[in-house]
Amino acid sequence: MNAPESIGVVIARKAQFDRPVRLRSGAVIDRYELAYETYGRINQKRDNAVLVCHALNASHHVAGIYGDNPPNVGWWDNLVGPWKPVDTNRFFVVGVNNLGGCHGSTGPASIDPATGRPWGADFPVVTVEDWVQTQAQLADHLGIERFAVVMGGSLGAMQALQWTMSFPDRIRHALVIAAAPKLSAQNIAFNEVARQAIMTDPDFHGGDFYAHNVVPRRGLRLARMIGHITYLSDDAMAEKFGRALRNGALKFNFDAEFEIESYLRYQGDKFSDYFDANTYLRITKALDYFDPAADYGGDLTKALARAKAAFLVVSFTSDWRFSPARSREILKALVDNRLDVSYAEIDAPHGHDTFLMDDQRYHNLIRAYLDNVDIG
Amino acid sequence: MTRAIAPALRPTTADNRLSGRPEFDAIAAWIEHGAQVLDLGCGDGSLLRYLREGRRAMGYGIEIDDANVLASVRNGVNVLQSNLESGLAGFESGSFDYVILSQTLQAVRHTEQIIGEMLRVGRQAIVTFPNFGYWGHRLQILRGRMPVSPTLPYQWYDTPNVHLFTLRDFEAFCADHGIRILERVVMNQGRVVSILPNLLGSLAVYRFNRGPQP
């Protein structure tokens, strides 16, 4: 077998949708665009399509590089590509930037045709259900009646799970990785701290900062820093940074002295350069609102009664943000419904972010599962 | 992070010390078409696959070992990675037709707890285990050595088995715990043994449920 290589240069496309979409909030968006990428080829029976849903800060750029910007490697390039676990020789893989995003799809920074100005604060709150609805529109646009697989990690996994309930006949397999069936109070608390950091930044201007030609950079930095702490495990941080000092000795001031401080500041700065503050607010809200069991008296088993897909559920032992116990809640509901499901608990030290990493046990499992997905 | 290990003795594709097949046939013969089964310590998932293909049974395997979980996924069966020793908390009472524990009971630490959980979750339970009372085992003991055989293929120092027992031991256990034995098949080298089973049989297969409450 060839050593897995990146799929190489890829092109981002946009699909235009002129049919209004009614969101869960009741708001209506008359027309919108979704940025997407595809890798591999759709087969004759059109039954080899895989939808990759992104989590908090990622995008439609799942794999490969851009010709005009080679360092910009897709966020799941270690998993998706020729001969990789999600093998683009077999599958037709679709990555999409969600509605409300800031990587090319219609979002708060886009121009509202009704006013000729950026949506800003007026862009509606979007939910996981809304994303799945609009992803289905993209599937129609691409001529995909039924996905072989819908997959994602973290918030992306929630979308895969939602697919099995919103469109039970349009998905054959769901890969639900590092997920939770709903956020805990602690999860929501972290999101609220991040939102407060953004909304109390004087440059936020109630969400209409575009008109002032500023970006609430300080708020975004803090939001990203707090997020990053929750993505890593205590052990992973200890191993990567420990108490190491950047310059060897204490300076008795408030510069970034410890390596972990420097790391968080770097991540915060990088993030505030490219991410839209209004998108961040909405994505964290989508996380907070996700609770498919809520309409069924809190009974996830009932919520998943209409699902038909087969599932692979994966959790990571060191993930304290969405711990294995949270995946087991999903598992129980799937087993109660006698749905086909396999579950693996990967003993990996890196915390929530392990789902993005090149862990052999994890990748072998996904490869083994996808090898058994019938296509053609 | 340390995890208690309940190793599965089921043969994997890489480990052919046990053929497995004869007991599979005995189990399959008891299971009606379309039954829902839970296979505890499912190894590489061969039995589940066999029951699905032969009996249209739907079910799940429970397995702790990473390599066996991967092998089960490769085998296309439902496998849930979990430690048997922590019970079957995720499963509703009486929710499966059969809960199977094949070639694993002797490697489980909390025997009473796991049998109790099997009878809580399943309408019936099936276990298979190596018979320590088999004459070949007795002979090796008489010669002063721990038995090593096709059904007990380990040396004393590398065995995952923590509870070795005989047919009579198991039947006494059932009597003491209000368990009703519904059926028994005893085998040696793939053939059914009908006389002096505790002496001539090397592998036992039992089907049982919770007996009438006194």
Side-chain angles (χ1 to χ4, degrees), chain A residues 7-128:
Chain A
I7 194 155
V9 173
V10 298
I11 298 164
R13 295 187 168 82
K14 281 190 188 179
Q16 171 89 38
F17 300 94
D18 295 323
R19 261 225 323 262
V21 58
R22 176 178 283 277
L23 306 176
R24 198 179 136 195
S25 65
V28 175
I29 295 182
D30 288 332
R31 59 174 64 89
Y32 60 96
E33 285 183 324
L34 292 179
Y36 70 97
E37 290 178 12
T38 67
Y39 324 110
R41 290 209 183 116
I42 190 95
N43 63 8
Q44 199 89 45
K45 287 176 73 180
R46 306 187 81 79
D47 68 354
N48 68 331
V50 175
L51 176 66
V52 178
C53 303
H54 69 74
L56 223 160
N57 67 313
S59 70
H60 53 292
H61 187 35
V62 175
I65 57 170
Y66 291 138
D68 58 357
N69 184 12
N72 187 354
V73 180
W75 58 273
W76 227 349
D77 191 76
N78 61 25
L79 191 75
V80 178
W83 312 111
K84 292 186 180 182
V86 183
D87 187 351
T88 50
N89 296 313
R90 280 186 83 215
F91 293 111
F92 175 67
V93 180
V94 181
V96 57
N97 185 213
N98 285 330
L99 184 68
C102 56
H103 291 96
S105 293
T106 298
S110 309
I111 302 298
D112 177 0
T115 64
R117 287 183 285 108
W119 284 87
D122 291 334
F123 196 88
V125 167
V126 285
T127 64
V128 169

Side-chain angles (χ1 to χ4, degrees), chain A residues 311-312 317 328 331-332 334-347 361 364-365 368-369 372, chain B residues 1 3 36 58-60 66 69-70 72-82 89-92 95-96:
Chain A
F311 289 75
L312 176 66
T317 52
R328 277 188 241 113
L331 201 60
K332 180 177 187 313
L334 300 175
V335 170
D336 284 349
N337 282 301
R338 293 295 181 270
L339 290 161
D340 282 319
V341 52
S342 283
Y343 169 65
E345 213 167 280
I346 309 282
D347 193 1
R361 282 161 303 172
N364 286 343
L365 195 76
Y369 186 87
N372 282 333
Chain B
M1 186 171 193
R3 288 197 280 188
Q36 298 188 345
M58 192 277 167
Y60 305 91
D66 287 339
V69 169
L70 181 62
S72 291
V73 169
R74 284 213 178 101
N75 239 331
V77 303
N78 296 319
V79 59
L80 312 177
Q81 190 162 29
S82 174
F91 298 94
E92 299 287 345
S95 60
F96 283 85

Side-chain angles (χ1 to χ4, degrees), chain B residues 82-125:
Chain B
S82 174
N83 187 352
L84 282 185
E85 301 277 11
S86 55
L88 302 175
F91 298 94
E92 299 287 345
S93 296
S95 60
F96 283 85
D97 297 316
Y98 299 96
V99 179
I100 302 168
L101 187 68
S102 181
Q103 296 282 2
T104 302
L105 188 60
Q106 74 282 1
V108 168
R109 192 159 296 277
H110 302 107
T111 312
E112 291 170 309
Q113 186 198 324
I114 196 74
I115 297 280
E117 280 289 85
M118 290 174 76
L119 290 171
R120 178 184 69 81
V121 171
R123 290 194 301 107
Q124 293 188 10

Side-chain angles (χ1 to χ4, degrees), chain A residues 89-212:
Chain A
N89 296 313
R90 280 186 83 215
F91 293 111
F92 175 67
V93 180
V94 181
V96 57
N97 185 213
N98 285 330
L99 184 68
C102 56
H103 291 96
S105 293
T106 298
S110 309
I111 302 298
D112 177 0
T115 64
R117 287 183 285 108
W119 284 87
D122 291 334
F123 196 88
V125 167
V126 285
T127 64
V128 169
E129 291 90 330
D130 299 332
W131 288 336
V132 168
Q133 293 292 338
T134 48
Q135 287 162 0
Q137 295 291 313
L138 179 66
D140 293 343
H141 174 82
L142 296 172
I144 299 163
E145 172 57 31
R146 198 175 182 211
F147 281 108
V149 179
V150 179
M151 62 186 294
S154 189
L155 177 56
M158 292 169 169
Q159 293 159 59
L161 188 62
Q162 186 61 45
W163 259 92
T164 70
M165 296 177 277
S166 294
F167 298 104
D169 294 314
R170 297 192 71 177
I171 167 175
R172 289 193 285 141
H173 297 268
L175 268 56
V176 176
I177 302 160
K182 63 182 177 216
L183 294 205
S184 67
Q186 186 192 48
N187 295 146
I188 295 171
F190 279 116
N191 282 345
E192 174 58 5
V193 174
R195 282 191 295 266
Q196 284 296 321
I198 289 169
M199 291 189 294
T200 57
D201 185 324
D203 286 338
F204 183 61
H205 294 286
D208 292 319
F209 51 87
Y210 314 101
H212 296 80

Side-chain angles (χ1 to χ4, degrees), chain B residues 8-207:
Chain B
L9 304 188
R10 207 73 60 75
T12 64
T13 39
D15 175 3
N16 288 316
R17 281 184 287 186
L18 296 170
S19 83
R21 291 295 159 192
E23 59 179 301
F24 285 12
D25 287 335
I27 293 170
W30 287 339
I31 287 182
E32 58 267 26
H33 257 65
Q36 298 188 345
V37 300
L38 196 57
D39 183 10
L40 309 183
C42 69
D44 69 356
S46 300
L47 175 60
L48 277 172
R49 185 169 181 149
Y50 187 72
L51 295 177
R52 186 183 63 201
E53 288 168 0
R55 312 302 294 173
R56 300 260 162 263
M58 192 277 167
Y60 305 91
I62 309 251
E63 181 54 61
I64 183 77
D65 179 70
D66 287 339
N68 279 338
V69 169
L70 181 62
S72 291
V73 169
R74 284 213 178 101
N75 239 331
V77 303
N78 296 319
V79 59
L80 312 177
Q81 190 162 29
S82 174
N83 187 352
L84 282 185
E85 301 277 11
S86 55
L88 302 175
F91 298 94
E92 299 287 345
S93 296
S95 60
F96 283 85
D97 297 316
Y98 299 96
V99 179
I100 302 168
L101 187 68
S102 181
Q103 296 282 2
T104 302
L105 188 60
Q106 74 282 1
V108 168
R109 192 159 296 277
H110 302 107
T111 312
E112 291 170 309
Q113 186 198 324
I114 196 74
I115 297 280
E117 280 289 85
M118 290 174 76
L119 290 171
R120 178 184 69 81
V121 171
R123 290 194 301 107
Q124 293 188 10
I126 295 171
V127 297
T128 78
F129 58 86
N131 177 26
F132 200 70
Y134 173 61
W135 69 269
H137 298 153
R138 297 186 195 200
L139 195 61
Q140 291 183 61
I141 295 272
L142 280 175
R143 287 178 176 156
R145 298 291 302 272
M146 281 300 281
V148 177
S149 71
T151 52
L152 289 174
Y154 298 94
Q155 294 291 338
W156 64 272
Y157 51 83
D158 68 1
T159 180
N161 299 332
V162 293
H163 292 127
L164 291 167
F165 53 103
T166 68
L167 267 61
R168 285 177 67 179
D169 287 328
F170 183 72
E171 289 173 17
F173 172 90
C174 291
D176 290 347
H177 290 79
I179 292 166
R180 179 169 55 191
I181 294 170
L182 300 169
E183 225 166 332
R184 179 186 78 181
V185 173
V186 183
M187 300 184 173
N188 187 40
Q189 295 182 336
R191 279 195 294 273
V192 173
V193 173
S194 42
I195 50 164
L196 297 175
N198 199 33
L199 192 62
L200 301 180
S202 57
L203 183 70
V205 190
Y206 282 87
R207 183 163 66 87

